[in-house]
Amino acid sequence: MRDYEMVIGLEVHCELSTESKIFCGCSTKFGGAPNTHVCEVCSGMPGTLPTLNAKVVEFAVKAGLALNCDITRNNKFDRKNYFYPDLPKAYQISQLYCPICRNGHVDIKTSSGEKSIGIHEIHMEEDAGKLIHDEATGMTRVDFNRCGVPLLEIVSEPDFRSAEEVIAYLTKIRDTMQYLGVSDCKMQEGSMRADVNLSVRPRGASEFGTRTEMKNIASFKAIERAIEYERERQIDLIEEGGKVVQETRRWDDEKEYTYAMRSKEDAQDYKYFPDPDLMPVFISEEYLESIRAALPELADKKRERYVTDLGLTEYDADIITGDVALVKIFEQAAAKCGNAKDAANWILTDLLKLYNDAGITPEDKFFSGDKLGTVIKMVSDGKVNRKSGKKILTAVFENDVDPEEYADKNGLAQVSDASAIEPAIRKVLDVNPKAVEEYLAGNVKNIQFLIGQSMRELRGKGDPKMIKDLLEKFLSEMS
Ligand code: ADP
Ligand code: MG
Ligand code: ZN
């Protein structure tokens, strides 16, 4: 068998987190009873006119700048005509001739090093509704809630050569969108969807092979599997003397194979033309600069700063910056307790464990960074010990309690008063003569046991350092 190289280009759709739809005032909120976020504009009633939501342009420019694109100054919208039952106007308003962003790139890291993936363009368009097929009745219903939700379509150059590169790119796009606050990019809710264009060619060939397109694959894992399958299918086909046909194929993640959906249509089949209902959109230098100036710090910069300025380990910085919800918790906690390294430690050892045990992520459940900072400070100020701090953290995680109130109510205040600790220690030394004897005979490890017993005597609230110091003092007096 000859050695083949795989070539992949991606079309990624991100639903924008604007409050309202792209051409009407309907809500973009995910879910809701079918056909409750619908009006005469987004349901395509005759005689209605679209009004562009300025936020969509702002979000597109933000995304374009963050992905190193040139921003088109004179924008217009085009109609892409087709019959789809989930888009009742029978055309989609999109951008063919003048996409808002062009010539960008995303730098990715994989096990084989760093690489830059070209972005051909990013354009604005509207989403379609959803068809719901009911097997039992054989009927199909349509929900227009999603119809008219703004989308950015990010079209890459055919620069990928492996599934690993594809996943690294998608992860980076998702992180960037989330940092910018322009899309939540939840694949499971369909707010980020990827179409995978894939071809193979004998390694070393200069021409690309014929590609197929796999649409709307719903998770990173499924994308990896689909790529693997489709690559093998194309190579087998060519080896058998067949030809790859340019077509759209659907990936069935349960049965793990792709099947032909329709032969690929060309741009001319859609009979694109400029939408006469919408004014051209001019982006001024001033507008562009104001958006550039307000861009937030993105993941790469943040990671670097966390390591060089805040002293975090690369590993810790990587984990935290890999999740925008965690970044927020971390920055708030660090600001509150005044110690970034402590904040990172608590997040990596304690908070993430709580999330893991609950089987959720920081994005799924709000956790106040401010309260984490308060807990850390309570511990470092000696008001509660580390163990009680963990207990409070768990209560904040579970019920969002106020840390100080919770500590008061549950009597967690740390005992660091010598007059309270001393009698407890004396008692422990009294009732454990064997451990004391062994310690004095040289088995110094016994101190751990005695600390544990003293802590128990103080019902877990003793200051561990003070207990250890006093124990050592008393024991040395006994020797
Ligand atoms: P269309 O408009 O027909 O969807 P485009 O030329 O815009 O086609 O390309 C769509 C995507 O397919 C792009 O991401 C591009 O990089 C990718 N692509 C184009 N040719 C190939 C190929 N031969 N193999 C793999 N990907 C390709
Ligand atoms: Mg396409
Ligand atoms: Zn509407």
Side-chain angles (χ1 to χ4, degrees), residues 56-57 66 89 101 178 184 217 222-223 239 251 265 267 288 313 321 327 362 374 406 413:
V56 175
V57 177
K89 293 198 302 299
C101 315
Q178 290 178 345
D184 58 16
I217 314 177
I223 288 171
E239 288 286 303
W251 168 248
E265 51 294 273
L288 194 58
T313 63
T321 55
V327 164
T374 303
Y406 182 85

Side-chain angles (χ1 to χ4, degrees), residues 113-306:
E114 289 181 28
K115 177 169 177 176
S116 188
I117 302 292
I119 290 184
H120 183 75
E121 64 169 80
I122 304 177
H123 58 258
M124 303 176 279
E125 59 186 30
E126 56 184 335
D127 209 346
K130 255 187 208 160
L131 295 178
I132 302 144
H133 307 289
D134 184 352
E135 301 271 331
T137 59
M139 281 202 295
T140 296
R141 300 167 195 275
V142 59
D143 175 7
F144 290 130
N145 282 356
R146 202 180 66 180
C147 199
V149 167
L151 290 176
L152 287 186
E153 179 173 340
I154 305 170
V155 183
S156 86
E157 298 294 351
D159 287 346
F160 304 94
R161 298 293 177 268
S162 70
E164 191 194 359
E165 290 177 2
V166 167
I167 301 302
Y169 169 88
L170 288 172
T171 306
K172 187 131 186 201
I173 296 264
R174 185 188 63 190
D175 288 353
T176 306
M177 296 295 138
Q178 290 178 345
Y179 269 72
L180 293 171
V182 304
S183 172
D184 58 16
C185 290
K186 289 186 184 168
M187 283 199 117
Q188 68 279 18
E189 289 184 3
S191 63
M192 181 184 194
R193 313 193 286 266
D195 302 345
V196 178
N197 296 271
L198 187 154
S199 61
V200 296
R201 61 177 171 182
R203 198 173 295 280
S206 54
E207 304 266 302
F208 286 149
T210 304
R211 73 179 195 266
T212 60
E213 178 173 7
M214 296 181 283
K215 279 206 175 294
N216 293 339
I217 314 177
S219 73
F220 285 5
K221 274 266 159 336
I223 288 171
E224 272 185 281
R225 285 193 286 263
I227 288 175
E228 202 45 47
Y229 174 88
E230 182 59 14
R231 177 174 151 255
E232 294 298 308
R233 191 191 69 87
Q234 291 189 12
I235 294 175
D236 285 351
L237 196 62
I238 294 167
E239 288 286 303
E240 283 163 13
K243 271 204 166 96
V244 176
V245 183
Q246 185 172 337
E247 64 192 355
T248 302
R249 300 181 68 84
R250 171 147 293 165
W251 168 248
D252 185 322
D253 201 40
E254 256 156 45
K255 303 200 182 98
E256 305 209 345
Y257 75 116
T258 64
Y259 57 94
M261 236 165 73
R262 55 184 149 100
S263 65
K264 177 81 184 143
E265 51 294 273
D266 280 327
Q268 64 194 21
D269 298 331
Y270 291 116
K271 307 212 165 28
Y272 278 97
F273 66 91
D275 193 305
D277 288 343
L278 285 154
M279 300 283 282
V281 178
F282 176 68
I283 294 179
S284 70
E285 187 68 29
E286 258 178 311
Y287 178 80
L288 194 58
E289 285 319 308
S290 70
I291 291 181
R292 197 193 302 275
L295 283 182
E297 183 181 45
L298 297 174
D300 287 346
K301 271 254 171 64
K302 230 185 237 308
R303 190 176 308 116
E304 209 182 300
R305 184 170 61 80
Y306 283 0

Side-chain angles (χ1 to χ4, degrees), residues 210-441:
T210 304
R211 73 179 195 266
T212 60
E213 178 173 7
M214 296 181 283
K215 279 206 175 294
N216 293 339
I217 314 177
S219 73
F220 285 5
K221 274 266 159 336
I223 288 171
E224 272 185 281
R225 285 193 286 263
I227 288 175
E228 202 45 47
Y229 174 88
E230 182 59 14
R231 177 174 151 255
E232 294 298 308
R233 191 191 69 87
Q234 291 189 12
I235 294 175
D236 285 351
L237 196 62
I238 294 167
E239 288 286 303
E240 283 163 13
K243 271 204 166 96
V244 176
V245 183
Q246 185 172 337
E247 64 192 355
T248 302
R249 300 181 68 84
R250 171 147 293 165
W251 168 248
D252 185 322
D253 201 40
E254 256 156 45
K255 303 200 182 98
E256 305 209 345
Y257 75 116
T258 64
Y259 57 94
M261 236 165 73
R262 55 184 149 100
S263 65
K264 177 81 184 143
E265 51 294 273
D266 280 327
Q268 64 194 21
D269 298 331
Y270 291 116
K271 307 212 165 28
Y272 278 97
F273 66 91
D275 193 305
D277 288 343
L278 285 154
M279 300 283 282
V281 178
F282 176 68
I283 294 179
S284 70
E285 187 68 29
E286 258 178 311
Y287 178 80
L288 194 58
E289 285 319 308
S290 70
I291 291 181
R292 197 193 302 275
L295 283 182
E297 183 181 45
L298 297 174
D300 287 346
K301 271 254 171 64
K302 230 185 237 308
R303 190 176 308 116
E304 209 182 300
R305 184 170 61 80
Y306 283 0
V307 173
T308 51
D309 295 1
L310 303 181
L312 266 54
T313 63
E314 300 233 346
Y315 177 80
D316 290 6
D318 240 20
I319 302 271
I320 294 173
T321 55
D323 182 335
V324 70
L326 219 47
V327 164
K328 206 168 153 197
I329 296 173
F330 167 71
E331 293 192 349
Q332 276 181 353
K336 183 83 184 184
C337 75
N339 187 330
K341 274 173 125 169
D342 267 0
N345 275 337
W346 276 80
I347 287 176
L348 270 100
T349 51
D350 302 300
L351 185 60
L352 284 181
K353 183 169 185 318
L354 289 171
Y355 275 110
N356 280 341
D357 291 350
I360 50 174
T361 66
E363 193 193 357
D364 301 325
K365 177 171 173 157
F366 171 78
F367 186 91
S368 158
D370 209 53
K371 288 183 180 172
L372 173 60
T374 303
V375 176
I376 297 172
K377 206 163 165 351
M378 286 164 76
V379 173
S380 59
D381 288 350
K383 287 190 189 147
V384 299
N385 62 26
R386 188 77 169 74
K387 206 168 148 218
S388 302
K390 261 174 119 160
K391 209 165 161 184
I392 303 171
L393 194 77
T394 307
V396 175
F397 182 79
E398 282 166 1
N399 302 311
D400 199 25
V401 300
D402 178 85
E404 269 150 351
E405 235 170 62
Y406 182 85
D408 279 350
K409 265 199 207 141
N410 293 275
L412 295 177
Q414 173 161 276
V415 179
S416 42
D417 173 4
S419 66
I421 292 182
E422 274 187 32
I425 291 181
R426 295 244 181 250
K427 186 172 164 203
V428 167
L429 293 177
D430 265 2
V431 300
N432 294 290
K434 196 158 166 272
V436 171
E437 203 177 299
E438 284 172 11
Y439 176 90
L440 296 176

